[in-house]
Amino acid sequence: MSEVQRDLTFAEAICDATRQALEADPTVYVMGEGVSDPKAIFETTRGLYKKFGPNRVIEMPIAENGLTGVAIGSALSGMRPLMVHQRVEFALYAFEQIVNSAAKMLYSTAGKASAPLTIRLIIGRGWGQGPCHAQSLESVFGHFPGLRVVMPTTPHDAKGMLLSAIRCDDPVIFLEHRWLHSTHGPVPEEAYYVPLDKPKIVKHGSDITMVASSLMSLEALAVQQALAVAGVSAALIDLRSIRPLNIDEISKSVKATGRLLHIDSGWSNFGVGSEVISRLIERDLGIFKVRPRRLGMADYPSPATRALARDYYPFPEDILEAALAMLGLPEDRENVARAALSES
């Protein structure tokens, strides 16, 4: 049967996946602060409370540690909870539950019990959010064995990866950048499942490899297109999965290009890019023509004003300049790429 494609926003794709999971499996339920709120958590839970009722879409009090414990306990009892936090920082209140209970359950019970729990967390910048509500903490969660950590970029992957996360027997941290919720893309009507452990090759290339995830994959795509105008063949890999981290495709690409530029959504220090580069160097240092480079947030807390944000986050112009520094192009071709990016 051919897939019926619709143009959905990232938020609508999340909502569609949640609805289909609730319809298909009676053990699935949604819980969180604001799941029945009129704002519907950036439109990602729109209509679910009305359709499925308070026993399947459960509004919870402000008690993150407690509600995470409830979710883990229900998962151990045969349920498949989908828990939602409107900010990634709210999960820090439940960190002990996540990393010492959910993540270690399979190991500590010698494989006899697992916690099939999915936790949706909203990440990323937004002016006015300030240092406590605008962070990207994927590398923090990626540090712990027993967790899966994913960061979809497109509406298509958002739906497919959420459906895969809900039916996964491991606890899954599902990270959504707030700026992606309004992006559009084709999404099949029927249920489908995107793997939770494979990067996506967005573009093949022979001159430089760019690796990114979530919003930064879209920023890097604009740079890839600008470089193409200047005659540069840039590969772009959307990491998608932070844990498990699969670098096989990245290694193949860097062997072809000799150059690696990693763009983090979070801080560069102790970030995902550090892990990617370290693993590639350990595997084969000789694949690099020039030193690999990583970009990410500046090494201090997130600013709350637009004026400071410009020098804090990596923007497409910063990605382009980093790529040009690695490529060593003639000045006229560099200017062609800069002009193409400014016009995009």
Side-chain angles (χ1 to χ4, degrees), residues 51-313:
K51 181 177 179 62
F52 296 99
N55 291 328
R56 302 289 303 283
V57 181
I58 306 172
E59 185 68 38
M60 298 296 289
I62 300 175
E64 288 83 2
N65 192 51
L67 69 91
T68 303
V70 170
I72 294 171
S74 69
L76 292 171
S77 301
M79 304 297 288
R80 290 186 176 271
L82 171 59
M83 195 169 72
V84 189
H85 288 299
Q86 295 202 35
R87 301 288 187 275
V88 67
E89 292 82 6
F90 296 169
L92 298 181
Y93 290 107
F95 207 59
E96 193 277 335
Q97 294 273 18
I98 295 169
V99 305
N100 277 342
S101 293
K104 296 178 175 62
M105 191 60 63
L106 190 68
Y107 178 83
S108 60
T109 64
K112 296 177 182 178
S114 63
L117 163 69
T118 300
I119 305 178
R120 286 182 47 213
L121 302 174
I122 314 301
I123 64 170
R125 63 186 185 246
W127 90 268
Q129 297 295 326
C132 296
H133 287 151
Q135 300 173 97
S136 296
L137 303 178
E138 57 272 12
S139 61
V140 175
F141 291 102
H143 185 66
F144 294 98
L147 294 178
R148 291 178 181 257
V149 183
V150 298
M151 301 179 71
T153 300
T154 65
H156 178 277
D157 283 353
K159 177 178 177 178
M161 294 184 81
L162 184 56
L163 286 171
S164 294
I166 292 171
R167 77 171 185 175
C168 180
D169 289 332
D170 300 321
V172 179
I173 304 297
F174 191 95
L175 299 166
E176 308 162 25
H177 198 292
R178 73 181 78 230
W179 283 24
L180 292 178
H181 282 134
S182 60
T183 59
H184 287 256
V187 178
E189 185 175 277
E190 56 266 29
Y192 59 94
Y193 301 90
V194 174
L196 300 177
D197 59 354
K198 293 182 180 179
K200 176 193 290 184
I201 310 300
V202 181
K203 296 285 184 180
H204 289 281
S206 57
D207 294 324
I208 187 171
T209 300
M210 295 187 294
V211 179
S213 55
S214 192
L215 175 68
M216 301 316 297
S217 290
L218 295 186
E219 305 281 52
L221 180 59
V223 173
Q224 187 275 333
Q225 293 168 345
L227 287 170
V229 175
V232 175
S233 176
L236 175 57
I237 298 176
D238 182 3
L239 200 53
R240 295 197 300 189
S241 174
I242 306 303
R243 188 178 187 103
L245 181 61
N246 186 333
I247 66 165
D248 289 344
E249 293 298 331
I250 301 173
S251 179
K252 291 177 185 177
S253 180
V254 177
K255 283 181 179 178
T257 66
R259 299 175 178 89
L260 172 63
L261 174 59
H262 189 284
I263 307 101
D264 271 298
S265 296
W267 290 290
S268 292
N269 284 356
F270 306 97
V272 176
S274 301
E275 183 67 21
V276 170
I277 292 172
S278 296
R279 291 195 188 190
L280 288 173
I281 290 174
E282 288 176 343
R283 180 179 286 195
D284 185 359
L285 179 60
I287 65 175
F288 295 102
K289 295 178 181 177
V290 299
R291 288 179 295 177
R293 185 168 178 181
R294 57 204 162 104
L295 292 180
M297 298 190 304
D299 195 29
Y300 51 86
S302 307
T305 67
R306 288 191 174 108
L308 294 175
R310 180 60 191 88
D311 294 322
Y312 181 75
Y313 298 104

